[in-house]
Amino acid sequence: MAVDLLGKVLRRGATAGRIVEVEAYRGTDDPGSHGFRGPTPRTEVMFGPPGHLYVYFTYGMHWCANVVCGTAGHSEAVLIRALHPVAGLEEMWLRRPAARRRRDLCSGPAKLTEALGIDGAHDGADLVAPGAEVTVTDDGHRPDAVANTARIGLRNGAELPWRWYVEGDENVSRTRPGPRP
DNA sequence: AAATTGATTCAT
DNA sequence: TGAATCAATTTT
């Protein structure tokens, strides 16, 4: 379940952050999922075994990281949308010169991959293998309050309420400062 | 509100 | 082979 990822720690090398915002994408009955139209070279990792990283490139300049959750052949993944930085802050600042405040470091799906240095080279990486470069660990922390809303930035399937985030965490991505049509 | 940017995908 | 798409971010 996607919500189980909230509160866990995503780590790569010296940099790590607690997951505070996620979105779920499920296979062939979710029109917002990359796996909706079946496997392609890009999305084949989604159809693979769980516990792996699905990294894709979008908008011509951004990487986004997902955790594959479904059983093999079932294209289920959870997009990690925001982290609360907990380690390797200096490294994050170096990787993200655009960040002005601490919450700018990882408050968005493409920001956190940049902050941790995750890119296409990590697509398909095993998150639970011994000595894995990128890992998700559970240190026992549990979020206080979890909110559940519609997903963000989708053309299709945007109405499905499959986004979860830790209420009150300043690192959760801001959906909109002002009103939107 | 708009520019940016290029891999991926779907249609010819 | 070409056009449209795109799970964003930054800057104006």
Side-chain angles (χ1 to χ4, degrees):
Chain A
M1 285 296 286
V3 68
D4 294 333
L5 277 172
L6 288 177
K8 297 196 176 165
V9 173
L10 179 69
R11 172 178 291 274
R12 173 178 173 269
T15 55
R18 193 177 304 286
I19 299 171
V20 294
E21 182 180 356
V22 296
E23 281 180 7
Y25 290 87
R26 186 181 65 191
T28 48
D29 57 343
D30 174 7
S33 170
H34 285 173
F36 182 53
R37 295 175 187 81
T40 67
R42 177 175 62 149
T43 63
E44 64 181 352
V45 174
M46 280 184 88
F47 291 82
H52 289 243
L53 205 58
Y54 166 46
V55 182
Y56 65 88
F57 193 63
T58 192
Y59 287 93
M61 56 194 96
H62 297 302
W63 294 101
C64 296
N66 302 250
V67 176
V68 177
C69 292
T71 54
H74 278 250
S75 146
E76 293 173 28
V78 174
L79 170 68
I80 301 175
R81 291 193 54 90
L83 299 178
H84 184 109
V86 296
L89 277 283
E90 293 191 9
E91 213 173 313
M92 293 187 187
W93 284 114
L94 290 177
R95 289 208 189 94
R96 290 198 30 76
R100 301 191 165 264
R101 319 190 224 165
R102 202 171 76 100
R103 70 161 178 263
D104 295 330
L105 288 173
C106 298
S107 59
K111 297 181 188 177
L112 66 92
T113 56
E114 190 175 15
L116 299 209
I118 292 174
D119 62 20
H122 302 91
D123 189 29
D126 191 334
L127 294 167
V128 294
E133 184 180 350
V134 183
T135 61
V136 174
T137 56
D138 184 349
D139 65 356
H141 178 90
R142 288 295 175 274
D144 295 325
V146 175
N148 165 233
T149 70
R151 295 177 294 183
I152 293 175
L154 296 184
R155 296 181 60 88
N156 302 319
E159 72 286 351
L160 291 169
W162 289 351
R163 169 174 177 253
W164 290 268
Y165 64 93
V166 177
E167 213 162 10
D169 194 293
E170 64 175 3
N171 296 278
V172 170
S173 63
R174 299 277 189 277
T175 56
R176 54 188 171 85
R180 211 191 68 167

